[in-house]
Amino acid sequence: MKKVLVVMGSDSDLKVMEKCVDRLKSFDIPVEVRICSAHRTPAVAEQLAKNAAAEGFGVIIAAAGKAAHLGGVLAAYTTLPVIGVPMATSVMGGMDSLLSIVQMPKGIPVATVAIDGADNAAILAAQMIALSDEALAARLTAFKADMAAEVTAKDEKVRAQFA
Amino acid sequence: MKKVLVVMGSDSDLKVMEKCVDRLKSFDIPVEVRICSAHRTPAVAEQLAKNAAAEGFGVIIAAAGKAAHLGGVLAAYTTLPVIGVPMATSVMGGMDSLLSIVQMPKGIPVATVAIDGADNAAILAAQMIALSDEALAARLTAFKADMAAEVTAKDEKVRAQFA
Amino acid sequence: MKKVLVVMGSDSDLKVMEKCVDRLKSFDIPVEVRICSAHRTPAVAEQLAKNAAAEGFGVIIAAAGKAAHLGGVLAAYTTLPVIGVPMATSVMGGMDSLLSIVQMPKGIPVATVAIDGADNAAILAAQMIALSDEALAARLTAFKADMAAEVTAKDEKVRAQFA
Amino acid sequence: MKKVLVVMGSDSDLKVMEKCVDRLKSFDIPVEVRICSAHRTPAVAEQLAKNAAAEGFGVIIAAAGKAAHLGGVLAAYTTLPVIGVPMATSVMGGMDSLLSIVQMPKGIPVATVAIDGADNAAILAAQMIALSDEALAARLTAFKADMAAEVTAKDEKVRAQFA
Amino acid sequence: MKKVLVVMGSDSDLKVMEKCVDRLKSFDIPVEVRICSAHRTPAVAEQLAKNAAAEGFGVIIAAAGKAAHLGGVLAAYTTLPVIGVPMATSVMGGMDSLLSIVQMPKGIPVATVAIDGADNAAILAAQMIALSDEALAARLTAFKADMAAEVTAKDEKVRAQFA
Amino acid sequence: MKKVLVVMGSDSDLKVMEKCVDRLKSFDIPVEVRICSAHRTPAVAEQLAKNAAAEGFGVIIAAAGKAAHLGGVLAAYTTLPVIGVPMATSVMGGMDSLLSIVQMPKGIPVATVAIDGADNAAILAAQMIALSDEALAARLTAFKADMAAEVTAKDEKVRAQFA
Amino acid sequence: MKKVLVVMGSDSDLKVMEKCVDRLKSFDIPVEVRICSAHRTPAVAEQLAKNAAAEGFGVIIAAAGKAAHLGGVLAAYTTLPVIGVPMATSVMGGMDSLLSIVQMPKGIPVATVAIDGADNAAILAAQMIALSDEALAARLTAFKADMAAEVTAKDEKVRAQFA
Amino acid sequence: MKKVLVVMGSDSDLKVMEKCVDRLKSFDIPVEVRICSAHRTPAVAEQLAKNAAAEGFGVIIAAAGKAAHLGGVLAAYTTLPVIGVPMATSVMGGMDSLLSIVQMPKGIPVATVAIDGADNAAILAAQMIALSDEALAARLTAFKADMAAEVTAKDEKVRAQFA
């Protein structure tokens, strides 16, 4: 199965992004985690992106905050799909990160998820890999059913509470 | 090859989204185009999403504006990756569409591209399908080279102009 | 008397929405409370909305946050008035929820109240039901007088304090 | 049948709000249209709201822009449901109008629709009145079916165009 | 000397607005403090504003949050200058209050100060009254000198610290 | 009677601010108009503000756009009330101008009116001067009545149109 | 004298940025103009920045819009000061460009000027170079005097007009 | 070597700005720190800026919040480059400070760094001074390498953690 490369701009993003790594592992997707700054270690970013496909990665997930260039910089050097996770900041709750990631120019998309949407980045990566992996697709279907069951359980609890 | 389903909330989105269809065709990706409203024809949306995988679609692209629920509603009924294209509006230039699409809750991602990012939605869909299609991956690499050449040509022109 | 259906996207919304339930009960309006996700349990949402009128509900109140599609999804399946309560989030204080709820397309309104406006959602629902219920209308008039008296009491206290 | 009172802060709002009046008439709902400023003719606003119930109105629709106080001022003097229509402005596309209308304090709700959502204000008012009017409820159901048919027709056209 | 009327929409605003009252008193300006809601006690608001000039008030200061209509409602009933103080809220830090107060329509201004700008509202009121009160004008000049001296003292301290 | 000093940061503001000058003249308030830049001619700004009181001005109106420092810079050098008029810009419709003007620090208020609120700046200045000028106060009362009459005339017209 | 490198993300930025080039030339500062995309030609960007100091450039000016990564990407590869010019866009008037440029992480600053602030980018570059160039410093002083004279001329014209 | 003048609008900015002073000292750049308010001590601001070049300063760094005029006011009186540091506030996380600083009019730039970007202001100042100081340029290059090494160390740690 293709691997997922999870790249963070800073180790301070790790607390949020651990949910992403955990979710990928729960789908039995092999994952590698890197700290890499678009601005402090740009050569590393370039190499990560350039070599990703050859090293067996199928999807890159990039988490960054503020002027969050990391996803775009990685996308510049690969044709693999790049998923961007805007980190919450104090500027309008992360609107700086969101706009820096999602407003990519024509030609170089970054697939953007919600602010701090670490979990959804993992699910989205799984959906992409599942396009050619029936077993993973089945795990995603089961995951969807589990989520529904969880909501149903909460629904029953609240109905009882207010009955 | 897996097909791409392009769904629009309104035929007024067609002008922007034609670039998406054209780009998909330029990659020789089979595409079907539908008008479907999350709120006016929700049953159609449900059927489109539920049947998409079985009908040979690999990716769904959903374009919508304002309270742009279409992508999320489709994603609720499928585990295929759903790409959301926020349509520009007069409210902060489409910030309503963007936030309605990108801020999806945990468990149901929508891969969001730039406001009016029709072209990038197509490229992102192609990147996903290319994960298991070497020929398409090669076309994406060629496309990237073409874009670079285009910029280089413009660079040479402007250098000459200001030399 | 027609009942009010209070639907929440998540049980984490309960703390805010309890004020809504309490207010409805204070008006002797029968109320049912449900947890239902537009994206995780869309089929439940569909059934809730489709059956609401037949089951004796007059108004639906939907509370949701971020890409808050719940109100719109419910409104797609009913002609009962749907009241949307945007939950506060960290993105501009809930502007994502507000725009996702209020900016509904032509044809399918959602009556939106203030961010975290649980109490006002209940009052608005009561106002709608009171259109054909004189006794409830009288209770609303009394409630308005009580609010005025409360302000007057505070006014007297502050006048004394600063006299 | 109860009447709907449509109040505008300025005659410049008429162009947008004519759609509201037309929609109400299409449902055979009696409607009266007034120009009334919360700030220039506050005594008129007070009288309109105080007398509305007694004069046979069931719902008040208030359209205003910028510091759009009209809906709130009317709601202060009645327990009828008040629907607020934020007029588009040049400040973030009408965000000033929207926030001034939707962010009402506890106790006095204004049911807010989309910016320039004149049509939806009419539909929402119809939904409220239909709570005690079976014939109007049936017209709303038919209207919903018509909208779906309209989308389906557009869908067929676009499918043919891209087939 | 003309008095200043300080009106708050809620007693929860008192903590911020006490600075306003204190500042007015420090200028020996007579002040009265009231709690009055534009929406819960509109008749009180009307009477306060209508009678203000006759009762010897020269300026009205109105503090309110969210859909902060209080200043505008008071201004509708008087030709005295009305100063609006937007209370901080969780929506973009009080942008709802600010826009609701400052974006008044042509004909009825509200002089708006900074979010939570209780102190500056008092100073602005003093500046207005000082137009016809030489002694107060002198106190304002002295106050300005005191502020400068305060900054100079801090400047000296920091220069010493970093020398 | 005290004069009003109208200062603009640029002659491009003149088109909007002519309404301010016209309104002041309609109240028979003597007015002087100046172009002065807080950043290009700061010494002129300083002199204008320092000398304003002595030269018989009672109020200063400052119109500026973008990083609209003019009002604050003038207020730094005078204890006269300074009214700020934020000019509309392309950044969120003038939110840059508004925030730069209204968010003044403690001690130095600028009385802010709506974006492009030239007319209201004049009325506010008139209200300030009228505190010690009964005849002007009477003109303001008449002006308020005229505005009400204007709205009433429009109301009658629209009532006839839709009757 | 050190040269200035003006880099644009797209030739569509040329219309705005010509003012920057013209202003630099008016100061007799040698300038080179390049089109270079952070995402389409990242290797060119890297080379431009890496070689800039050795090729005699003292300052880099980077103009870009939307997810405007160009300035940051260039700054990653040089210790020369990089000035960023956010291009106006339809999203809140260019707030996406502004935040993407100004919110750079610790360690790698980009000196940001106003949205579409092409002229000011040139002046800022000149100020930097003038730190070690007395003649250029003198030209900047003269330029400042010219600007003041221009404002004074406009002031005299408007004073005459309204006298 | 030219000195850097660090000016703060208030001593409450010191906590953030100490990082700026520390960073400048780490580069062996002589620095002076001042508290100076654009509005409370404008004459001091004027003198600081007018005399800065003659007193051996090469760059001015101005930190201010809310209606953050300090940078612009200093820039009005000097042709030295002025760097503005927007202080975080509760209004959209400092968007008021940012817009007040960055949106300077044509002719008078302020080089703006990120909200609370004290460290980057120091680095940017160092970059400017290094244009004519080879030793400082070398220290900046070393600093850049140190930053990269720091990221690499964190990268190795996280790779080990998730291996």
Side-chain angles (χ1 to χ4, degrees):
Chain A
M1 192 193 301
K2 294 208 159 149
K3 296 180 294 181
V4 172
L5 179 61
V6 177
V7 191
M8 276 160 270
S10 159
D11 57 349
S12 63
D13 303 332
L14 197 55
K15 199 180 152 184
V16 169
M17 291 306 291
E18 266 178 347
K19 290 169 211 153
C20 177
V21 179
D22 290 348
R23 180 68 66 199
L24 287 165
K25 288 182 176 168
S26 80
F27 291 133
D28 291 327
I29 298 173
V31 53
E32 288 185 27
V33 184
R34 301 292 301 264
I35 306 286
C36 169
S37 162
H39 302 114
R40 299 185 188 186
T41 55
V44 178
E46 180 185 336
Q47 290 308 313
L48 277 180
K50 272 189 179 162
N51 300 337
E55 289 180 359
F57 292 103
V59 182
I60 300 175
I61 295 173
K66 297 176 73 186
H69 298 186
L70 183 59
V73 164
L74 294 168
Y77 288 106
T78 183
T79 58
L80 292 180
V82 175
I83 298 171
V85 188
M87 294 287 101
T89 68
S90 59
V91 176
M92 301 192 282
M95 201 56 95
D96 47 356
S97 316
L98 173 57
L99 291 172
S100 296
I101 291 175
V102 80
Q103 285 294 83
M104 286 292 290
K106 201 162 65 172
I108 315 285
V110 169
T112 308
V113 294
I115 295 171
D116 275 356
D119 212 329
N120 275 2
I123 297 167
L124 181 59
Q127 290 175 334
M128 295 178 187
I129 295 173
L131 288 178
S132 58
D133 186 324
E134 294 287 322
L136 178 56
R139 284 199 289 279
L140 279 166
T141 303
F143 171 69
K144 217 171 174 86
D146 287 351
M147 287 196 300
E150 214 179 296
V151 175
T152 302
K154 286 177 180 173
D155 182 31
E156 274 160 18
K157 196 175 150 198
V158 83
R159 289 172 79 176
Q161 181 182 342
F162 287 94
Chain B
M1 191 193 301
K2 292 203 161 155
K3 299 179 292 181
V4 171
L5 178 61
V6 177
V7 191
M8 276 160 270
S10 159
D11 57 350
S12 63
D13 304 331
L14 197 54
K15 199 180 155 185
V16 169
M17 292 305 292
E18 265 177 350
K19 289 169 212 154
C20 177
V21 178
D22 291 347
R23 181 68 65 199
L24 286 165
K25 288 184 175 167
S26 80
F27 290 132
D28 291 328
I29 297 173
V31 53
E32 289 184 26
V33 184
R34 302 292 300 263
I35 305 287
C36 168
S37 162
H39 302 114
R40 298 185 188 189
T41 55
V44 177
E46 181 185 335
Q47 290 309 311
L48 278 179
K50 273 190 177 162
N51 301 336
E55 288 179 2
F57 291 104
V59 183
I60 300 175
I61 294 173
K66 297 175 75 185
H69 298 187
L70 184 59
V73 163
L74 293 168
Y77 288 106
T78 183
T79 58
L80 293 180
V82 175
I83 298 171
V85 188
M87 294 287 101
T89 68
S90 59
V91 176
M92 301 193 281
M95 202 54 95
D96 48 356
S97 316
L98 172 57
L99 290 172
S100 296
I101 291 174
V102 81
Q103 284 292 84
M104 286 292 289
K106 200 162 67 173
I108 314 284
V110 169
T112 309
V113 294
I115 295 172
D116 276 354
D119 212 330
N120 274 2
I123 297 167
L124 181 58
Q127 290 176 333
M128 294 178 188
I129 294 172
L131 288 178
S132 57
D133 186 325
E134 295 286 323
L136 179 55
R139 284 199 288 278
L140 279 166
T141 302
F143 170 69
K144 218 172 173 84
D146 287 350
M147 287 195 301
E150 214 178 296
V151 175
T152 302
K154 287 178 179 172
D155 181 32
E156 275 161 19
K157 197 175 152 198
V158 84
R159 289 173 78 175
Q161 180 182 343
F162 287 94
Chain C
M1 193 194 297
K2 292 206 161 154
K3 297 180 292 181
V4 171
L5 179 61
V6 176
V7 191
M8 276 160 270
S10 159
D11 58 349
S12 63
D13 304 331
L14 197 55
K15 199 180 151 185
V16 168
M17 292 305 291
E18 266 178 347
K19 289 170 213 152
C20 177
V21 179
D22 290 348
R23 180 68 66 200
L24 287 165
K25 287 183 176 168
S26 80
F27 291 133
D28 291 326
I29 297 174
V31 53
E32 287 184 28
V33 184
R34 301 294 300 263
I35 305 288
C36 169
S37 162
H39 302 114
R40 299 185 187 187
T41 56
V44 177
E46 180 185 337
Q47 291 309 312
L48 278 179
K50 273 189 178 162
N51 300 335
E55 289 180 359
F57 292 103
V59 183
I60 299 175
I61 294 173
K66 297 175 74 185
H69 297 187
L70 184 59
V73 164
L74 294 169
Y77 288 108
T78 183
T79 58
L80 292 180
V82 175
I83 298 171
V85 188
M87 293 287 101
T89 68
S90 58
V91 176
M92 301 192 281
M95 202 55 96
D96 48 354
S97 316
L98 173 57
L99 291 171
S100 296
I101 291 175
V102 80
Q103 284 293 84
M104 287 291 290
K106 200 162 67 173
I108 316 284
V110 169
T112 309
V113 294
I115 295 171
D116 276 356
D119 213 328
N120 274 2
I123 297 168
L124 182 58
Q127 290 176 334
M128 294 178 187
I129 294 174
L131 288 178
S132 58
D133 185 325
E134 294 286 324
L136 179 55
R139 284 198 289 278
L140 279 165
T141 303
F143 171 69
K144 218 172 173 85
D146 286 351
M147 288 196 299
E150 215 179 295
V151 175
T152 301
K154 286 177 181 175
D155 182 32
E156 275 161 19
K157 197 175 152 197
V158 85
R159 291 172 79 175
Q161 182 182 342
F162 287 94
Chain D
M1 193 192 301
K2 292 202 162 155
K3 299 180 291 183
V4 171
L5 178 62
V6 176
V7 191
M8 276 161 269
S10 158
D11 57 350
S12 64
D13 304 331
L14 197 55
K15 199 179 154 185
V16 169
M17 291 306 291
E18 265 178 348
K19 291 169 210 153
C20 177
V21 178
D22 291 349
R23 181 66 67 199
L24 286 166
K25 288 183 176 169
S26 81
F27 290 134
D28 291 329
I29 296 173
V31 53
E32 288 184 27
V33 184
R34 301 294 299 265
I35 306 287
C36 169
S37 162
H39 302 113
R40 299 185 187 187
T41 55
V44 177
E46 181 186 336
Q47 291 309 312
L48 278 178
K50 273 190 178 162
N51 301 335
E55 289 179 0
F57 292 103
V59 183
I60 299 175
I61 294 173
K66 298 176 74 188
H69 297 187
L70 184 59
V73 164
L74 293 169
Y77 287 107
T78 182
T79 58
L80 292 180
V82 175
I83 299 171
V85 188
M87 294 288 100
T89 68
S90 59
V91 176
M92 301 191 282
M95 202 55 95
D96 48 355
S97 315
L98 173 56
L99 290 172
S100 295
I101 291 175
V102 79
Q103 285 293 83
M104 286 291 290
K106 199 162 67 173
I108 315 284
V110 168
T112 309
V113 295
I115 296 172
D116 275 355
D119 212 330
N120 274 1
I123 297 167
L124 181 58
Q127 290 175 334
M128 293 178 189
I129 294 174
L131 287 179
S132 57
D133 186 325
E134 294 286 322
L136 179 55
R139 284 199 290 277
L140 279 167
T141 302
F143 170 69
K144 218 172 174 83
D146 287 350
M147 288 195 299
E150 215 179 295
V151 175
T152 301
K154 286 177 179 174
D155 182 32
E156 273 160 20
K157 196 175 152 199
V158 85
R159 290 172 77 175
Q161 181 182 342
F162 287 94
Chain E
M1 192 193 300
K2 291 205 162 154
K3 297 180 293 179
V4 171
L5 178 62
V6 176
V7 191
M8 276 161 269
S10 158
D11 57 349
S12 63
D13 304 332
L14 197 54
K15 199 180 152 184
V16 169
M17 291 305 292
E18 265 177 349
K19 290 170 211 152
C20 177
V21 179
D22 291 347
R23 181 67 67 200
L24 287 165
K25 288 183 177 169
S26 80
F27 291 133
D28 291 327
I29 297 173
V31 53
E32 287 184 28
V33 184
R34 301 294 301 265
I35 305 287
C36 169
S37 162
H39 302 113
R40 299 184 188 188
T41 55
V44 176
E46 181 186 335
Q47 290 309 313
L48 278 179
K50 273 189 179 164
N51 301 336
E55 290 180 359
F57 292 103
V59 182
I60 299 175
I61 294 173
K66 298 175 75 185
H69 298 187
L70 183 59
V73 164
L74 294 169
Y77 288 106
T78 183
T79 57
L80 293 180
V82 175
I83 298 171
V85 187
M87 293 287 100
T89 68
S90 59
V91 176
M92 301 193 281
M95 202 54 97
D96 47 355
S97 316
L98 172 57
L99 291 171
S100 296
I101 291 175
V102 80
Q103 284 293 84
M104 286 292 290
K106 200 163 65 174
I108 316 284
V110 169
T112 309
V113 294
I115 295 171
D116 275 356
D119 212 329
N120 274 1
I123 297 167
L124 181 58
Q127 290 175 333
M128 295 178 188
I129 295 174
L131 288 178
S132 58
D133 185 324
E134 294 287 322
L136 179 56
R139 285 198 289 278
L140 279 165
T141 302
F143 170 69
K144 219 172 172 86
D146 287 350
M147 288 196 300
E150 215 179 297
V151 174
T152 301
K154 287 177 179 173
D155 182 31
E156 275 160 20
K157 197 175 151 197
V158 85
R159 290 172 78 175
Q161 181 182 343
F162 287 94
Chain F
M1 193 192 301
K2 292 205 161 154
K3 299 181 292 181
V4 171
L5 178 62
V6 176
V7 191
M8 277 160 269
S10 159
D11 57 349
S12 63
D13 304 332
L14 196 55
K15 199 179 154 184
V16 168
M17 291 305 292
E18 266 178 348
K19 290 170 211 151
C20 176
V21 178
D22 291 347
R23 180 67 66 198
L24 287 165
K25 288 183 176 169
S26 81
F27 291 132
D28 291 328
I29 298 174
V31 54
E32 288 184 27
V33 183
R34 301 293 300 264
I35 305 287
C36 169
S37 162
H39 303 113
R40 300 185 188 187
T41 54
V44 178
E46 182 186 336
Q47 290 309 313
L48 278 179
K50 273 190 178 162
N51 301 336
E55 289 180 0
F57 292 104
V59 182
I60 299 175
I61 294 173
K66 297 176 75 187
H69 297 188
L70 184 59
V73 164
L74 294 169
Y77 289 105
T78 183
T79 58
L80 292 180
V82 175
I83 298 171
V85 188
M87 294 286 100
T89 68
S90 59
V91 176
M92 302 192 281
M95 202 55 96
D96 48 356
S97 315
L98 172 57
L99 290 172
S100 296
I101 292 175
V102 79
Q103 284 294 83
M104 286 291 289
K106 201 162 66 175
I108 314 286
V110 169
T112 310
V113 294
I115 295 171
D116 276 355
D119 212 330
N120 274 1
I123 297 167
L124 182 58
Q127 290 175 333
M128 294 177 188
I129 295 174
L131 288 179
S132 58
D133 186 325
E134 294 285 324
L136 179 55
R139 284 199 288 278
L140 279 166
T141 303
F143 171 68
K144 216 171 175 84
D146 286 352
M147 287 196 299
E150 214 179 296
V151 175
T152 301
K154 286 177 180 174
D155 182 32
E156 274 160 19
K157 196 174 152 198
V158 85
R159 289 171 78 176
Q161 182 183 343
F162 287 95
Chain G
M1 192 192 300
K2 293 204 161 154
K3 298 180 292 181
V4 171
L5 178 61
V6 177
V7 192
M8 276 160 270
S10 159
D11 57 349
S12 64
D13 303 332
L14 197 53
K15 199 180 153 184
V16 169
M17 291 305 292
E18 267 178 348
K19 289 169 213 153
C20 177
V21 178
D22 291 348
R23 180 68 64 199
L24 287 164
K25 289 184 175 168
S26 80
F27 291 133
D28 291 327
I29 297 173
V31 54
E32 289 184 27
V33 183
R34 302 290 302 263
I35 305 287
C36 169
S37 162
H39 303 113
R40 299 185 187 189
T41 55
V44 178
E46 181 185 335
Q47 291 307 313
L48 279 179
K50 272 189 179 163
N51 301 335
E55 289 180 0
F57 291 104
V59 183
I60 300 175
I61 294 173
K66 296 176 75 187
H69 297 188
L70 184 58
V73 164
L74 294 169
Y77 287 106
T78 183
T79 59
L80 292 180
V82 175
I83 298 171
V85 188
M87 294 286 100
T89 68
S90 59
V91 176
M92 301 192 281
M95 202 54 96
D96 48 356
S97 316
L98 172 57
L99 291 171
S100 295
I101 292 174
V102 81
Q103 284 293 84
M104 286 292 289
K106 200 162 66 174
I108 314 285
V110 169
T112 309
V113 294
I115 296 172
D116 276 355
D119 212 330
N120 274 2
I123 297 167
L124 182 58
Q127 290 175 333
M128 295 178 188
I129 294 172
L131 288 179
S132 57
D133 186 324
E134 295 286 323
L136 179 55
R139 284 199 288 278
L140 279 166
T141 303
F143 170 69
K144 218 172 174 82
D146 287 350
M147 288 196 300
E150 214 178 296
V151 174
T152 302
K154 287 177 180 173
D155 181 32
E156 274 160 20
K157 196 175 152 198
V158 83
R159 288 172 80 175
Q161 181 182 342
F162 287 94
Chain H
M1 191 192 302
K2 292 206 161 151
K3 298 179 292 179
V4 171
L5 178 62
V6 176
V7 191
M8 277 160 268
S10 158
D11 58 349
S12 63
D13 304 332
L14 196 55
K15 199 181 152 183
V16 169
M17 292 305 291
E18 265 178 348
K19 290 170 211 151
C20 177
V21 179
D22 290 348
R23 180 67 66 199
L24 287 165
K25 289 183 176 169
S26 81
F27 291 133
D28 291 327
I29 297 173
V31 53
E32 287 184 29
V33 184
R34 301 293 302 264
I35 306 287
C36 169
S37 162
H39 302 113
R40 299 185 189 187
T41 54
V44 177
E46 180 185 336
Q47 290 308 313
L48 278 179
K50 273 189 178 163
N51 301 336
E55 290 181 359
F57 292 103
V59 183
I60 299 175
I61 294 174
K66 298 176 74 187
H69 299 187
L70 183 59
V73 163
L74 294 169
Y77 287 105
T78 183
T79 58
L80 293 180
V82 175
I83 299 171
V85 187
M87 294 286 101
T89 67
S90 59
V91 175
M92 302 193 281
M95 202 55 97
D96 47 357
S97 316
L98 172 57
L99 291 172
S100 296
I101 291 175
V102 81
Q103 285 292 85
M104 285 293 289
K106 201 162 65 173
I108 315 284
V110 170
T112 309
V113 294
I115 295 172
D116 274 356
D119 212 330
N120 275 1
I123 297 167
L124 181 58
Q127 291 175 334
M128 294 177 187
I129 294 173
L131 288 178
S132 59
D133 186 324
E134 293 287 322
L136 179 56
R139 284 199 288 279
L140 279 166
T141 303
F143 170 70
K144 217 172 173 85
D146 287 351
M147 287 195 301
E150 214 179 296
V151 174
T152 301
K154 287 177 180 173
D155 181 32
E156 274 160 20
K157 196 174 152 198
V158 84
R159 290 172 78 176
Q161 181 182 343
F162 288 96

